[in-house]
Amino acid sequence: MGDRTSIVVAHRLTTVQKCNRLAVIDNGKIVEEGKMEDLNAKSDGFFANLKKGLSKADKAKATE
């Protein structure tokens, strides 16, 4: 997607993992923004907690 700005709304983190910058929106407000690796590094951050929750949901689906 070089040399352009795209807005991507995604439920799967793999969809946005190659994006240069992410904005995490909660209740219509940006609560965090930055590179995926930086957001992952904040262990108590909104994005990291969201990712943990998605990981648990994926594991639960796999056992069904």
Side-chain angles (χ1 to χ4, degrees):
M1 285 204 216
D3 296 334
R4 68 177 141 182
T5 299
S6 299
I7 296 175
V8 179
V9 177
H11 291 102
R12 293 183 180 206
L13 296 178
T14 56
T15 304
V16 296
Q17 68 187 151
K18 291 185 180 180
C19 293
N20 295 331
R21 187 175 179 160
L22 301 175
V24 182
I25 300 171
D26 184 40
N27 291 322
K29 295 185 180 186
I30 296 175
V31 293
E32 285 185 321
E33 61 182 299
K35 294 181 179 183
M36 183 177 259
E37 56 268 12
D38 296 336
L39 297 176
N40 279 329
K42 297 178 184 178
S43 61
D44 62 339
F46 190 93
F47 181 81
N49 287 326
L50 178 66
K51 187 175 176 183
K52 288 176 196 171
L54 291 175
S55 178
K56 289 179 186 177
D58 287 342
K59 288 178 185 175
K61 283 184 182 179
T63 60
E64 291 178 350

